[in-house]
Each structure stands twice: as C-alpha cells, then as structure tokens.
Amino acid sequence: MKDNVDISVDFAGIRLANPVFTASGTCGYADELSDFMNVNVLGGFITKSITVKPRKGNPTPRIVETDAGMLNAIGLANIGLDKFIEEKLPVLEQLSPAIFVNVAGETIDDYVAVVERLVSEKAIAGFELNISCPNVAKGGISFGTEPAQVAEITSAVKKAAGEKVLMVKLSPAVTDISIIARAAVEAGADALSLINTFTAMVIDIETRKAVLANKTGGLSGPAIKPIAVYLVNKVYDEVSKSAGTPILGIGGIMTASDAIQFIIAGASAVGIGTANFIEPGCTIKIIEGIRDYCARNKIANIKELTGTLQG
Ligand SMILES: Cc1cc2nc3c(=O)[nH]c(=O)nc-3n(C[C@H](O)[C@H](O)[C@H](O)COP(=O)(O)O)c2cc1C
C-alpha cells in the first residue's frame, strides 16, 4: 500500500514531490543543511530572509532556549542580494526541491528591488514575503499588522514577481489573522504561509537583564504549535478554502503527526523550522511518517487530507 500512496502536492501551480519545506532562517541557503542530509528529499526549500544590502543583524546573545522552544533575535542577518546571487544561487540551482526566496526589507521599494533582480532566475519557484519587518517609511510599524499596508506591499511585489509564485508569510501578532490573510489574497498573493514567531522575552533573575541582547526575540518551536494549528484552521475556513489559496502551515512541527495536524487543519504543505536545530535530518522522518500515515489510513493522495477537520 505504501508504494501506492501519492504524497506529491500541487502548491499554487508548483509540483512538489512531497508537502515538506524547511522554514525560512533555519537552514540558511541550503548548503548548510547539505552537511546533514540529502536536501533533494525535500518538497521545498525556503531561504533565510534576503535584503537588498547585507545585514549584520542584532548583537549577541541572539538565541536562547525556552521550556518548549526557543527565542531568536537574529535581526535578519544575511549576506545581501549581490552575494546571494553570486554565491548561493548557483548551489540552489542544482537542487530539486522548489526553491522559495524569503524577502525582507524596510520599505516596499526594498522588497520590490529584491524580487525584480531575482524574477528571471529559473531556479526560483517563488518568493515568500516576510512582512513581520518594521516599515521605516511608516513609523516602524510592522508591514504585516495593517490590512492596507499588507495589500499595498502584496500588490507591488506581485507586479514584480510576474509568473513566479508569491507567498505572503503572516505574523500571528494581530487581532484577527483572517483580515490580514484576506488583504493579501485580494491583493494577489498566490499562497499564504503561517505563522511567523511571537515576540517574547526571557529574563536572567540574577542580573535582572533580558537574556537576549535585543531584549526580545521571536518564540518558535513546540510552544507555539497549538496556536499555529488553530490559526491555520481559521485562515483555511475563513479565507483560503473559498479563495483556493494554498496554505503552508508552520509553527512547532517536530514530527509527522504534528505535520498531519496542520494538513487536517487546512494546510497544503508544511514548513519545519526549529526542529532542524534539534535534529538536522528530521524532515526525512517527517516525510516518511506522512507517507506511513497515508498508507495506514488508506489515503491514496495526500491532497485528500487537506482541510478535513471533522465536527
Ligand atoms: C533562528 C531562526 C531564524 C529565523 N529567521 C527567519 C527569517 O529570516 N525570515 C522569516 O520569515 N522567518 C524566520 N524565522 C521564522 C521561521 O521561519 C518560522 O516561521 C518560525 O520559527 C516558526 O516555525 P518553527 O516553530 O517550526 O520554528 C526564523 C526562525 C528561527 C528559529
């Protein structure tokens, strides 16, 4: 039966061998991951956020472990667009997973500039917009928290992205995530990914200082999983299902059964982040576990499972 199971997915017009992606910022530009596993087993690979100019990121310490996850305040450290094209793209071109470039910036023009430079690259299947960044032109408020800004950035980038898939990555730090999701879809997003991290803090009680030099960081890992499952289900029911916009479900996935929860909730594919730090080859087990689950439950095609929450 296992051989008869089809876990390939059509994700916004892109054929994925399976529904498993790595999440942005957790596996660099793929060459880092190649030391630990065969990257070609993945359905998709999402790069670390790329900005026009290189960024050093925040001072250290910028990572701390928590009870059921971790906080990071990397601050979008990255090599910048020129070096990405020169050094990383040739490596990504050799890989079989669908490659998404995660794009970040401080103004809409920044995002558009990255996408315009990369749009003609054959190796790139699409772009993931990290809209959790502060918009310096509009007083430093995150792009992703106001529907009008989400619509503006999505339509500007969609124009630049042409035929490439545009996936908008939603922040959970909003009152109603469906309002943001709808704004993105109506402005031209081909897919949605959710969720990004939650802002959080850890304090050293001896020094009474925050452990991270940046004070706050983004919480990821198993601690956020049930919230992420809920938000994926909400966005699926209220926006994606009727619009036909696929969801990449992200947040605390460690195992195949976690991934399957997201798919039942409404995700067409899943992204694995923090789990890669604990076990770099975990995605291989997750892919095989999804296949086993389908075989055990006589699901011939993984697509049948998306959005099948009962009751
Ligand atoms: C160390 C680290 C760096 C990250 N860097 C980025 C990034 O550059 N861009 C982005 O959109 N998300 C970034 N994220 C967020 C992840 O892609 C993901 O949305 C989040 O961690 C939740 O998934 P997880 O619980 O599986 O890690 C980062 C997460 C971590 C832990």
Side-chain angles (χ1 to χ4, degrees), residues 23-26 48-49 63 70 72 74 76 102 128 130 169 195-197 220-221 224 250-253 271-275 277:
S24 177
T26 61
K48 185 182 215 345
S49 281
I63 279 185
M70 64 185 277
N72 89 83
I74 305 294
L76 300 178
N102 181 296
E128 183 186 52
N130 177 0
K169 184 170 187 179
I195 55 177
N196 214 321
T197 54
S220 63
I224 69 170
I250 313 170
I253 298 173
I272 318 296
T274 301
F277 295 116

Side-chain angles (χ1 to χ4, degrees), residues 36-270:
F36 301 101
M37 63 177 275
N38 174 9
V39 180
N40 287 327
V41 302
L42 293 166
F45 182 90
I46 306 181
T47 69
K48 185 182 215 345
S49 281
I50 303 290
T51 52
V52 179
K53 296 261 179 291
R55 286 175 59 104
K56 280 207 182 107
N58 291 323
T60 56
R62 48 191 192 180
I63 279 185
V64 60
E65 223 174 282
T66 62
D67 299 331
M70 64 185 277
L71 295 195
N72 89 83
I74 305 294
L76 300 178
N78 79 95
I79 57 176
L81 185 54
D82 288 340
K83 228 173 173 190
F84 173 72
I85 293 171
E86 222 171 276
E87 292 177 10
K88 304 297 179 180
L89 209 51
V91 179
L92 291 169
E93 270 165 7
Q94 308 301 316
L95 302 177
S96 50
I99 305 295
F100 277 71
V101 174
N102 181 296
V103 184
E106 294 180 340
T107 64
I108 292 179
D109 289 348
D110 285 349
Y111 285 82
V112 170
V114 173
V115 172
E116 276 178 348
R117 280 278 300 283
L118 294 174
V119 70
S120 56
E121 296 293 343
K122 278 204 190 71
I124 298 170
F127 300 97
E128 183 186 52
L129 285 200
N130 177 0
I131 56 169
S132 301
C133 313
N135 180 349
V136 293
K138 294 225 169 135
I141 296 165
S142 161
F143 285 99
T145 55
E146 284 184 13
Q149 280 203 54
V150 172
E152 198 184 342
I153 193 167
T154 304
S155 65
V157 175
K158 183 61 197 166
K159 269 191 211 111
E163 297 297 301
K164 304 272 192 209
V165 171
L166 178 62
M167 175 155 72
V168 176
K169 184 170 187 179
L170 306 181
S171 164
V174 292
T175 310
D176 184 345
I177 199 166
S178 293
I179 293 175
I180 305 294
R182 197 169 298 115
V185 168
E186 285 174 358
D190 303 301
L192 299 169
S193 53
L194 59 148
I195 55 177
N196 214 321
T197 54
F198 286 87
T199 303
M201 188 192 283
V202 175
I203 296 172
D204 177 332
I205 60 166
E206 300 308 323
T207 61
R208 300 190 204 173
K209 285 184 176 166
V211 171
L212 296 177
N214 186 55
K215 272 196 175 172
T216 61
L219 177 65
S220 63
I224 69 170
K225 186 182 68 190
I227 312 175
V229 170
Y230 158 65
L231 292 174
V232 165
N233 186 240
K234 180 175 162 65
V235 170
Y236 178 75
D237 279 349
E238 296 174 5
V239 182
S240 282
K241 193 176 173 184
S242 55
T245 311
I247 295 176
L248 177 68
I250 313 170
I253 298 173
M254 308 294 285
T255 63
S257 68
D258 295 342
I260 287 158
Q261 281 197 53
F262 278 79
I263 295 172
I264 292 170
S268 296
V270 291

